[in-house]
Amino acid sequence: YARNNISDLGIPDLSPLHPVMNTGFVVDGTLFVLAGLGLSVLFEGRARWIVLGTSVVHGVGSIVVGLAHASVDGASTPHAAGAGMAIIGGNLVLLAAGRYGGRVGAPRWYTAASAVAGVAGLAGFALFLADTGILGGGAFERISVYTIIGWEIVTGAALLARARLSKVR
């Protein structure tokens, strides 16, 4: 967990379930792009393009990670580029949600939590790249990715709760 990267589960020589992991990356990336497209129409001006752009960068990066898996020796430039796009783009989406979410009625707790998670994710990625040996690179990579996954889950739950509350009224 501390030494291995998340996408090691997508390497055929390391994981018998690699097709499941790689398909998950592609599906998540595709759905993230579609969600970004749908979400961007709620915003105006620069905010619209920031939300859309960062969502597309994350989604395309995730798709690349699923299509160009890493190798056992770690050498895969397309995979590394895709992972960087997914991690940086995804955490920038969180920062955008923190900055612009209030404009479309997101509660204060949500915008604050989004911003904190985005900063934590980018800090985790910086520590991963620094390869300090503290905790192992896999742990820092997970911090940088789990912020995005957690945000996706919280965002979905918040939207479902909001829809349910609006039906009750």
Side-chain angles (χ1 to χ4, degrees):
Y1 189 88
R3 287 189 313 258
N4 293 93
N5 294 328
I6 296 167
S7 55
D8 286 354
L9 294 171
I11 300 173
D13 293 341
L14 296 180
S15 174
L17 295 175
H18 67 277
V20 175
M21 189 68 173
N22 292 324
T23 300
F25 285 129
V26 171
V27 169
D28 181 67
T30 303
L31 292 175
F32 207 98
V33 169
L34 293 173
L37 285 168
L39 182 64
S40 68
V41 302
L42 299 175
F43 297 92
E44 295 178 0
R46 187 172 76 173
R48 173 178 287 167
W49 296 109
I50 290 172
V51 168
L52 179 59
T54 55
S55 295
V56 169
V57 169
H58 170 74
V60 169
S62 293
I63 292 168
V64 170
V65 166
L67 295 177
H69 59 77
S71 61
V72 176
D73 64 5
S76 173
T77 301
H79 179 84
M85 289 171 62
I87 292 169
I88 294 168
N91 282 294
L92 289 177
V93 168
L94 277 59
L95 291 175
R99 172 72 173 92
Y100 301 116
R103 294 183 184 182
V104 293
R108 181 78 178 126
W109 68 264
Y110 176 84
T111 58
S114 295
V116 168
V119 169
L122 291 173
F125 189 56
L127 290 167
F128 169 73
L129 292 176
D131 195 19
T132 62
I134 303 168
L135 293 181
F140 286 125
E141 184 208 28
R142 281 171 175 73
I143 291 169
S144 67
V145 172
Y146 288 176
T147 54
I148 302 164
I149 295 169
W151 180 84
E152 289 174 308
I153 293 167
V154 169
T155 299
L159 290 171
L160 288 173
R162 188 173 184 172
R164 189 168 278 164
L165 284 175
S166 68
K167 284 184 181 181
V168 171
R169 294 179 187 166

